[in-house]
Amino acid sequence: MKRALWIATLIPLLSLGPGLYPARGEAAPDSVVLTTMLNDFLAGASRNDAAAHDRFWADNLIYTGSAGHRIGKADILLDVRSAPSPAPGATTPSTSDPASVYTAEEILIQPYGDTAVVAFRLVETKTLDGKSAVNHYFNTGTFLKSGGKWQAVAWQATRVPRTQDESRQLVAAAQSAFHHALLAADVRTLEALLDESFVWTHGDGDQRTRRQLAEALGSGQLKYSKLEASDVVVSIHGDTAVVRGVTSRQRSRFPGSETGGDPAPFTSFFTLTFANMQGTWKAVALHTSRA
């Protein structure tokens, strides 16, 4: 399970504003305590702080993620402790876990004595290589106060589907980024755009996996001097997208070539298939054939 799957269901609540905090010596209202606890937790979760998770989640937690997976506190702690911590001062996110910024809208807190329900809309903005994608989730958390300490005992996250136009724009951008990364031999961006199961099938029947493509580009065995896409059409079918188009491409070098590259640009038809992976479109298959 990706760390982002459960982090993306949590967000600090907005400040209650001046005038709503208790006078000195008075106990803070539960809404203020819960807000502070969430803010402290998100700060710890951002740096993979297992202690922050241990404080926040109850031992008997029932957590249902947006993809329908049900897990407990032990699963979350195992995931946090196995994830690499960000390097001090690092500003570049990994390709497998793009940087995310979380904000909350439509926040509602309902206390019931030693129980409280927190519901809100989460807005998650993922950024990778200067490009952003926004996901929306409805989240509901149930908290129980025991021994004067609040902990989350249940959590439910539901991803809000994007509109057809929003999905089409994101997929079109991913297709454009894919071809630009091929032309620039940008292996890091390609690895972020392609699912691990990705396979490229050429017109002659040759197939190349994501790893093989990355190795060929990274070593210089495959290099494009021209790669332009046109007549691009995007079709959305739920969590699957199919992109069809035409490319004018020329390779200055490719594996198995005795001449070193293509003598002139050639036209190729392509069909690129994407799957929605927890709100991020990943390419899973590419088929190309010469005109």
Side-chain angles (χ1 to χ4, degrees), residues 201-236:
T201 303
H202 296 265
D204 61 1
D206 180 52
Q207 290 188 318
R208 184 163 294 169
T209 65
R210 168 185 155 176
R211 180 182 60 81
Q212 291 170 331
L213 177 60
E215 289 176 351
L217 289 169
S219 65
Q221 293 180 354
L222 174 62
K223 186 173 179 59
Y224 286 91
S225 54
K226 180 180 182 179
L227 183 54
E228 299 174 353
S230 61
D231 300 330
V232 176
V233 178
V234 179
S235 301
I236 305 296

Side-chain angles (χ1 to χ4, degrees), residues 14-29:
L14 298 179
S15 169
L16 298 179
L20 296 182
Y21 290 91
R24 181 170 298 181
E26 297 180 10

Side-chain angles (χ1 to χ4, degrees), residues 1 5 15 52 74 80 119 128 139 146 148 156 176 186 188 199 226 241 248 253 263 280-281:
M1 181 189 67
L5 299 189
S15 169
V80 173
L128 179 64
N139 292 273
S146 177
Q156 175 78 45
S176 178
D186 185 349
R188 180 175 179 274
V199 175
K226 180 180 182 179
S248 176
R253 188 177 181 184
T280 300
W281 290 99

Side-chain angles (χ1 to χ4, degrees), residues 19-271:
L20 296 182
Y21 290 91
R24 181 170 298 181
E26 297 180 10
D30 289 331
S31 56
V32 175
V33 173
L34 287 167
T35 300
T36 301
M37 185 179 68
L38 282 166
N39 277 298
D40 290 345
F41 169 76
L42 261 291
S46 298
R47 59 179 182 269
N48 288 348
D49 185 350
H53 287 274
D54 193 36
R55 291 191 299 269
F56 188 81
W57 304 113
D59 291 338
N60 59 343
L61 170 73
I62 300 174
Y63 183 100
T64 306
S66 60
H69 300 297
R70 180 163 286 176
I71 58 175
K73 178 177 180 177
D75 301 302
I76 293 177
L77 290 176
L78 177 63
D79 193 48
V80 173
R81 288 165 177 157
S82 63
S85 299
T91 58
T92 303
S94 69
T95 56
S96 62
D97 192 8
S100 295
V101 175
Y102 308 100
T103 56
E105 299 176 350
E106 304 168 16
I107 301 166
L108 178 64
I109 304 176
Q110 294 181 335
Y112 303 95
D114 288 338
T115 306
V117 175
V118 178
F120 59 93
R121 176 193 287 263
L122 171 68
V123 181
E124 177 198 22
T125 303
K126 289 185 177 181
T127 302
L128 179 64
D129 295 332
K131 299 179 178 63
S132 297
V134 180
N135 301 311
H136 293 258
Y137 301 83
F138 288 126
N139 292 273
T140 302
T142 303
F143 294 81
L144 180 66
K145 184 163 62 175
S146 177
K149 180 177 69 173
W150 287 101
Q151 284 186 310
V153 295
W155 204 271
Q156 175 78 45
T158 302
R159 182 165 62 89
V160 181
R162 297 189 182 97
T163 66
Q164 288 276 316
D165 286 342
E166 289 173 335
S167 294
R168 194 174 291 110
Q169 292 173 9
L170 288 171
V171 171
Q175 174 276 139
S176 178
F178 169 75
H179 283 110
H180 279 97
L182 273 181
L183 179 61
D186 185 349
V187 174
R188 180 175 179 274
T189 297
L190 276 176
E191 288 178 337
L193 291 168
L194 307 182
D195 184 66
E196 293 181 358
S197 65
F198 173 84
V199 175
W200 181 349
T201 303
H202 296 265
D204 61 1
D206 180 52
Q207 290 188 318
R208 184 163 294 169
T209 65
R210 168 185 155 176
R211 180 182 60 81
Q212 291 170 331
L213 177 60
E215 289 176 351
L217 289 169
S219 65
Q221 293 180 354
L222 174 62
K223 186 173 179 59
Y224 286 91
S225 54
K226 180 180 182 179
L227 183 54
E228 299 174 353
S230 61
D231 300 330
V232 176
V233 178
V234 179
S235 301
I236 305 296
H237 307 277
D239 283 336
T240 304
V242 178
V243 185
R244 300 178 181 88
V246 181
T247 58
S248 176
R249 61 180 68 198
Q250 184 176 13
R251 298 164 297 184
S252 57
R253 188 177 181 184
F254 61 92
S257 171
E258 297 180 357
T259 60
D262 301 309
F266 63 92
T267 300
S268 176
F269 296 109
F270 73 88
T271 300

